[in-house]
Amino acid sequence: MKCEAFASQLEAQVGHSPARGGKAIKTDRKKANNLNQLLSRVKTIFGRKATPATTVTSNAEPPTYLSVVSDPHLRAAFADIEKYLAENYGIPTDKLSYQDYTNGASLFSKDITFAPSLVILTDSDDLYNLPDNVTMLVAVTSTKDENWLIEELSKFILFLKELGTTHHIQHFAIAFSKDKPDHPATVKTADVTCIRLY
């Protein structure tokens, strides 16, 4: 509202008033046209309705939910992983984010109880000397104690091996941290162990 009032005041002072402060304003037609165009732009800018903040926020970042995974074969595998995480740890889908690649996709969990990060690649392009058609468990973090994490991690690894045979993913790889060789929770520089599933 204040912006619209500003535009009207500007028009009153510049566009139509023959005198200001007792002195006549001398303008030729070209200057008058330029001023009218300026006023028109000002009115257009200030007359626009504000876009809701939710729209700006939603367009600011690309979506990260499961539908961003373009390969339907991989999307089905990730859907099973989502189901496993929900049933075993109560992890809601809004704690999971995905990234799609031309040769695969990745999943990252922001849950504090059990947070796996993994990648499924259709073509590894020789990354870490990995084969094609591989699931790679990159990291798992948790606020629980180490014994709990090791037990849950072993269950998750068995699940991922079964997932591979179900969804025809031929290999399963685990990246073990060189910095913490007995604890694959955090990977900085990795030693990769790869298992052929079938």
Side-chain angles (χ1 to χ4, degrees):
M1 296 176 99
K2 288 181 181 176
C3 296
E4 289 176 7
F6 170 75
S8 301
Q9 288 171 4
L10 186 64
E11 183 176 32
Q13 288 181 0
V14 179
H16 298 295
S17 177
R20 182 171 43 185
K23 293 182 182 177
I25 298 174
K26 295 180 181 178
T27 58
D28 58 18
R29 288 181 187 240
K30 188 175 180 182
K31 286 183 182 176
N33 284 340
N34 288 343
L35 288 172
N36 285 333
Q37 286 175 4
L38 173 65
L39 289 170
S40 176
R41 285 185 201 143
V42 168
K43 282 183 175 180
T44 302
I45 291 166
F46 290 137
R48 287 180 187 154
K49 292 183 179 178
T51 309
T54 52
T55 306
V56 173
T57 305
S58 64
N59 291 334
E61 294 181 11
T64 56
Y65 37 85
L66 182 57
S67 62
V68 303
V69 179
S70 58
D71 187 320
H73 174 71
L74 299 183
R75 193 164 50 242
F78 280 120
D80 282 352
I81 296 168
E82 267 192 11
K83 184 179 175 188
Y84 177 89
L85 295 174
E87 288 176 354
N88 290 277
Y89 308 105
I91 300 174
T93 55
D94 63 356
K95 291 281 187 181
L96 305 174
S97 60
Y98 295 88
Q99 189 164 352
D100 196 44
Y101 312 104
T102 54
N103 62 332
S106 63
L107 162 76
F108 175 71
S109 172
K110 293 174 267 187
D111 187 70
I112 59 169
T113 306
F114 188 75
S117 301
L118 59 94
V119 181
I120 304 176
L121 297 175
T122 53
D123 178 4
S124 69
D125 198 25
D126 293 326
L127 175 72
Y128 289 120
N129 296 315
L130 287 169
D132 295 341
N133 197 11
V134 60
T135 298
M136 183 176 178
L137 181 59
V138 178
V140 178
T141 58
S142 177
T143 54
K144 301 274 188 176
D145 65 51
E146 193 170 304
N147 290 334
W148 182 90
L149 179 59
I150 289 169
E151 187 177 337
E152 296 306 312
L153 185 55
S154 64
K155 292 177 192 174
F156 190 57
I157 288 169
L158 290 173
F159 162 74
L160 290 175
K161 287 170 69 179
E162 290 173 16
L163 180 89
T165 54
T166 303
H167 291 281
H168 305 291
I169 301 165
Q170 287 183 307
H171 306 90
F172 172 65
I174 306 173
F176 288 94
S177 171
K178 289 179 179 176
D179 305 304
K180 298 179 182 178
D182 296 326
H183 190 22
T186 307
V187 175
K188 292 180 182 174
T189 54
D191 281 327
V192 178
T193 300
C194 192
I195 303 164
R196 187 177 178 92
L197 299 177
Y198 62 89

